């Protein structure tokens, strides 16, 4: 209908990859199967408010040497009233995977003229808040606050990107003036 949209997809792919736990001098390529199922439900509550939820499951090398699974759930609330200069978007998300091979990518609303499609693996929670306000036809202001929480972790990331603690936060501000 015009108010509710349901999308469901099952995806199956085979790719060549190095054999896990290879004990020979050269890497032996093998076919690795990856399957994924995604279902998303979007509901337009009013002209200005939309709620969207998604469930996604991944099975990586299910019958192979190194099987991994992944799960992701999120729920969005998007508010953009007609003929008003402001808007907002909020996401609450949970994800859990056995490892990096079962990572799940999810598109995120971002600042104007930007987009974000991060990959999620391990176990954690994520939320973000986007606010926008058009001051005039030539100027606009956008704010984005996002945080990922990894319960039970001492640090997040590696090397120069390592953050001590179990939270990864980001704050973005954008101001635009059109000449």
């Amino acid at each position: 209908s015009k108010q509710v949209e349901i999308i469901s997809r099952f995806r199956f792919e085979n790719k060549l990859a190095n054999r896990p736990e290879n004990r020979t001098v050269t890497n032996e390529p093998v076919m690795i199967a990856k399957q994924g199922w995604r279902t998303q439900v979007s509901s337009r509550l009013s002209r200005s408010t939309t709620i969207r939820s998604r469930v996604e499951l991944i099975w990586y090398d299910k019958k192979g040497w190194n099987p991994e699974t992944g799960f992701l759930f999120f729920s969005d609330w998007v508010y953009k009233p007609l003929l008003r200069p402001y808007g907002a978007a909020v996401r609450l998300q949970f994800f859990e995977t056995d490892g990096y091979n079962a990572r799940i990518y999810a598109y995120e609303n971002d600042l104007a003229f930007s987009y974000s499609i991060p990959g999620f693996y391990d176990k954690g929670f994520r939320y973000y808040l986007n606010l926008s306000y058009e001051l005039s036809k030539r100027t606009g202001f956008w704010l984005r606050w996002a945080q990922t929480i990894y319960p039970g972790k001492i640090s997040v990331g590696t090397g120069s990107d390592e953050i001590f603690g179990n939270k990864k936060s980001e704050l973005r501000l954008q101001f635009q003036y059109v000449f």
Side-chain angles (χ1 to χ4, degrees), residues 29-115:
V30 294
M31 279 296 202
I32 304 265
K34 183 177 180 183
Q35 297 140 3
W37 174 65
R38 169 191 294 177
T39 296
Q40 179 171 301
V41 178
S42 298
S43 179
R44 194 168 170 184
L45 301 178
S46 68
R47 288 184 173 199
S48 59
T49 305
T50 302
I51 292 180
R52 177 176 45 237
S53 294
R54 177 184 291 177
V55 173
E56 189 159 355
L57 300 167
I58 296 288
W59 299 274
Y60 176 84
D61 198 20
K62 189 159 85 171
K63 297 178 182 175
W65 290 282
N66 192 20
E68 293 182 14
T69 59
F71 171 80
L72 178 133
F73 170 79
F74 70 70
S75 189
D76 288 340
W77 173 76
V78 180
Y79 179 70
K80 181 62 179 132
L82 294 173
L83 305 174
R84 297 284 188 235
Y86 50 85
V90 176
R91 172 172 291 176
L92 302 173
Q93 175 176 302
F94 170 76
F95 59 92
E96 183 173 2
T97 69
D98 294 333
Y100 185 73
N101 291 323
R103 68 195 174 274
I104 300 174
Y105 293 93
Y107 174 84
E108 294 184 348
N109 293 314
D110 211 325
L111 303 177
F113 313 111
S114 297
Y115 65 92

Side-chain angles (χ1 to χ4, degrees), residues 23-36:
R23 298 194 195 316
T24 62
V25 177
T26 59
N27 284 325
E28 178 184 345
V30 294
M31 279 296 202
I32 304 265
K34 183 177 180 183
Q35 297 140 3

